[in-house]
Amino acid sequence: MTANTQNKPATADAMQALMAELFPICRSITGDGVRRSLSLLADVIPLQIHEVPSGTAVFDWTVPNEWNVNEAWVKDPTGQKIIDFGEHNLHLMSYSEPLRETMPLDALKPHLYSLPEQPDLIPYRTSYYARDWGFCLPHKQLELLPDGDYDVFIDSTLEPGGLSYGEYLIPGEIEKEVLVFSHVCHPSLANDNLSGLVVNSFLAQRLADADNYYTYRFVFAPGAIGSITWLAMNEDMLHRVHCGLVSVLLGGDNRFTYKKSRAGNAEIDTVVPFVLEENQQPHDVIDFEPYGYDERQFGSPGIALNVGRLTRAPNNEFPEYHSSADNLAFVSKESLAESLAALWRISQVLDANRTYNNLNPKCEPQLGRRGLYGSVGGEHIKSQEHAMLWLLNQSDGQNSILDIAKTSGLPFDTLAEAAGRLVDAELLATADNV
Ligand code: ZN
C-alpha cells in the first residue's frame, strides 16, 4: 500500500467536522439549503454546481418549484411556541406551503406526524408533489396537546427557481467513466444522507491525486428528481458510463450491504463483493429491486447503466432511519473512515482489473529468456512467478485479473503487479473493450 491508500486520522476528523457543518442546514429537493451544502462540499473538491430551472421537462417528470423556509411554528392556546422549525428542521414537513391560520386542535391534528412506536423521536416527512403542509413532533408531545385554538405559521416560499446539483469529473487514462452518485435532499439527518456526501467528497479528493485508468464522475443531486434530471440532461454521454455506485448511508456501524445492478453480472457486481470479502468485513450482497434509492433510475430499462449500491444498513432497515435519531451521534468517524477505505479499495480494484490476451498462447513462453523466471530471490519473486503462470494460462480474453484471483486464490495485487511485468515483456495485451 502506498501512503495514498492509508486512511489518515486527519481525514476521519475532517469528515466528521464537515458532517457537523452540514448537519443543521435545511435541505430538500430544491432550495438554498442544497446550494449551501454543495458549496461546503466545494471546499473539499472543485465541484461544478448546475441549476436546472423549475418547469424543465425531464423524461416523465417536471423540475418542481423551488422551496425555501424562513420560519415555521405552532403556538398552543396559551400562546407558547410548542413546535419550532428553528429548533429542529425535521419539525416542518418538507415542501410545506405557506400558511397563517388559527385552528382548533381537531383541525390541526391531521397535519401532525409522529412515531407512536418511537415516542421520543421526530419523524421526517415530505410532500413534494401534493400541495400540503404539516409538522412533525415526538408522539409523547402530541399526546399531551390540550384542546383549544392553535396559531400555525409557515413562512415558506414555493416559487419558480431551480434544482441544484453538483458534479465533479476527474479525467482518467480512458474516457469510460465510473459514476458515483449520492443524494443531497435530506435535512438534518446524518447517516442518510450526509455520510454519503462527505465520504464521496473525500473519495473524490483522493482519486484526484491518483493516476486513474477510468474517468471518475461524482454527482451530488437530490434523490429521485435529481438523478432523473441529471440523466435527462446528460443522456447523450451515458454511453461513456462503464459502471457506477450509488454510495450512501455510510456512517453507522452497521454491516455493509451491496445491492447489485439491474443486470446483476456487471464488473461492479463482482468487484464490490470481492473487496468486502477481502476486507473480511461482515456484509450482505442483495439482488436488484426497483425500490430504494437512485439505483432504480440508473437501472430503468431505457437507461440501463451498470450501477449498484453500497450502503451500510440500507434504507428502512435501521431503527433510527428517517427520524431525529439519525443524528451526529449515530455516525462515527471510525465508520466514515472504514467506508472511505472500502470505497477507495473498490476504486483501486476496479481501476486495475483488466482482461488480457496471452500473445504467446501455444505452450508456455520461455520466461527465463526474458528475465522473468528462475532469477534468485525471495518469496516475492516466487509469488510473482506463480502469478505469471496463472495469468498466462488464463488470459484468453475472457478472464479478468479478478476472475484469476478467485480461481487461483492469489492476491489481486500480486496478480496485477505480475500482469504489468507480462505486458512490459509483450506477453500480455489488454483485451478490454469497456
Ligand atoms: Zn432517506
Side-chain angles (χ1 to χ4, degrees):
M1 274 198 190
T2 67
N4 197 31
T5 65
Q6 306 284 356
N7 256 326
K8 299 180 193 102
T11 305
D13 289 340
M15 286 195 287
Q16 202 179 36
L18 182 55
M19 294 271 310
E21 242 185 305
L22 287 162
F23 188 75
I25 301 173
C26 180
R27 281 162 292 269
S28 185
I29 51 173
T30 61
D32 289 333
V34 175
R35 286 190 195 98
R36 210 159 348 125
S37 304
L38 293 174
S39 77
L40 284 175
L41 301 184
D43 291 340
V44 180
I45 47 173
L47 206 58
Q48 247 197 314
I49 297 168
H50 302 264
E51 295 277 341
V52 181
S54 303
T56 305
V58 286
F59 300 127
D60 199 39
W61 296 68
T62 305
V63 174
N65 277 345
E66 184 177 323
W67 183 69
N68 286 293
V69 199
N70 296 314
E71 204 183 335
W73 45 254
V74 176
K75 284 183 182 169
D76 73 4
T78 69
Q80 192 157 351
K81 224 182 248 183
I82 50 154
I83 311 172
D84 187 0
F85 168 80
E87 277 181 13
H88 202 307
N89 56 40
L90 287 181
H91 277 313
L92 183 65
M93 184 167 77
S94 193
Y95 261 69
S96 283
E97 56 187 347
L99 183 81
R100 169 143 236 175
E101 216 172 295
T102 303
M103 61 185 78
L105 183 61
D106 282 356
L108 175 61
K109 263 196 167 160
H111 294 277
L112 298 181
Y113 299 89
S114 68
L115 297 167
E117 310 284 302
Q118 295 165 298
D120 294 317
L121 306 182
I122 311 167
Y124 165 49
R125 290 283 182 279
T126 65
S127 182
Y128 299 137
Y129 301 103
R131 288 296 291 263
D132 200 357
W133 60 273
F135 284 88
C136 304
L137 72 168
H139 191 68
K140 68 177 188 192
Q141 188 190 356
L142 173 66
E143 281 189 311
L144 296 175
L145 294 181
D147 276 330
D149 284 338
Y150 286 77
D151 280 333
V152 181
F153 180 52
I154 302 173
D155 179 12
S156 64
T157 53
L158 256 170
E159 290 164 357
L163 177 150
S164 325
Y165 67 83
E167 202 171 16
Y168 179 34
L169 189 81
I170 307 168
E173 196 182 309
I174 65 169
E175 209 188 34
K176 284 281 177 180
E177 294 181 7
V178 177
L179 175 69
V180 181
F181 183 93
S182 43
H183 56 274
V184 299
C185 49
H186 290 34
S188 293
L189 294 167
N191 191 38
D192 178 15
N193 52 195
L194 293 184
S195 63
L197 304 187
V198 168
V199 171
N200 292 333
S201 296
F202 279 81
L203 174 68
Q205 189 189 53
R206 194 175 283 190
L207 282 166
D209 280 344
D211 291 325
N212 307 309
Y213 178 64
Y214 289 109
T215 292
Y216 284 82
R217 185 184 295 270
F218 287 79
V219 179
F220 302 88
I225 188 67
S227 53
I228 293 168
T229 300
W230 182 81
L231 285 163
M233 297 287 132
N234 291 282
E235 203 181 354
D236 58 343
M237 55 67 67
L238 296 182
H239 63 278
R240 283 194 230 143
V241 178
H242 168 60
C243 67
L245 269 182
V246 170
S247 170
V248 291
L249 282 82
L250 296 163
D253 66 357
N254 324 74
R255 57 204 272 134
F256 282 96
T257 302
Y258 176 65
K259 177 177 170 181
K260 290 185 194 172
S261 72
R262 178 174 178 266
N265 58 358
E267 190 182 6
I268 191 77
D269 299 320
T270 314
V271 169
V272 180
F274 172 80
V275 168
L276 296 176
E277 199 89 14
E278 182 189 62
N279 286 353
Q280 297 182 314
Q281 273 154 331
H283 65 273
D284 296 310
V285 177
I286 58 173
D287 287 331
F288 180 83
E289 55 166 347
Y291 176 73
Y293 290 119
D294 297 277
E295 62 277 8
R296 66 179 190 262
Q297 314 305 341
F298 298 117
S300 56
I303 302 290
L305 296 181
N306 293 322
V307 174
R309 186 189 75 188
L310 185 67
T311 60
R312 310 291 288 241
N315 49 304
N316 239 340
E317 289 184 18
F318 57 102
E320 297 83 358
Y321 176 72
H322 279 192
S323 81
S324 52
D326 182 357
N327 55 30
L328 289 174
F330 180 67
V331 168
S332 74
K333 64 177 178 182
E334 290 75 19
S335 294
L336 294 171
E338 204 177 67
S339 299
L340 176 60
L343 282 163
W344 170 255
R345 180 65 180 155
I346 289 163
S347 70
Q348 296 313 286
V349 170
L350 195 58
D351 226 62
N353 190 34
R354 300 267 198 295
T355 301
Y356 294 100
N357 277 313
N358 181 340
L359 298 179
N360 199 331
K362 294 181 180 172
C363 299
E364 61 180 57
Q366 236 189 310
L367 296 178
R369 176 155 61 81
R370 295 172 172 90
L372 293 170
Y373 199 78
S375 28
V376 263
E379 280 310 302
H380 181 69
I381 299 287
K382 264 220 171 68
S383 70
Q384 281 295 296
E385 287 173 3
H386 201 180
M388 283 189 266
L389 294 179
W390 271 107
L391 284 159
L392 288 165
N393 182 273
Q394 298 288 298
S395 291
D396 54 3
Q398 301 300 316
N399 300 308
S400 69
I401 297 182
L402 198 50
D403 295 328
I404 301 170
K406 284 182 181 169
T407 312
S408 67
L410 291 173
F412 179 88
D413 295 337
T414 304
L415 287 161
E417 186 189 334
R421 292 185 178 185
L422 292 171
V423 168
D424 290 345
E426 295 176 357
L427 287 172
L428 288 185
T430 179
D432 281 348
N433 43 9
V434 289

